[in-house]
């Protein structure tokens, strides 16, 4: 028996929530966050379609992995 099961990996991107990934200069972040990032110049933010910031992560690869692990379709924003 071959039954197709939709998983996040097999769903078309349009069937998943879009999340926007963009670099954020550390110097634009609150002091409390800047103290925690060490020597990094940029972090990567994940934003919902509404503009709400969902997460800040260390690098772009991690941002895309986090989005996919949460059944979202990441889109790069410059």
């Amino acid at each position: 028996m071959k039954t197709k099961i939709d998983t996040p990996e097999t769903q078309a991107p349009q069937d998943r929530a879009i999340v926007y990934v963009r670099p954020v200069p550390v110097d634009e972040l609150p002091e409390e966050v800047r103290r925690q990032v060490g020597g990094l110049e940029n972090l990567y933010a994940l934003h919902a379609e509404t503009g709400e910031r969902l997460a800040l992560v260390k690098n772009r690869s991690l941002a895309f992995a986090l989005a996919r692990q949460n059944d979202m379709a990441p889109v790069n924003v410059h």
Side-chain angles (χ1 to χ4, degrees), residues 52-63:
E52 176 186 8
R53 183 178 289 164
L54 304 173
L56 282 171
V57 295
K58 182 178 179 177
N59 59 50
R60 184 179 177 276
S61 296
L62 183 57

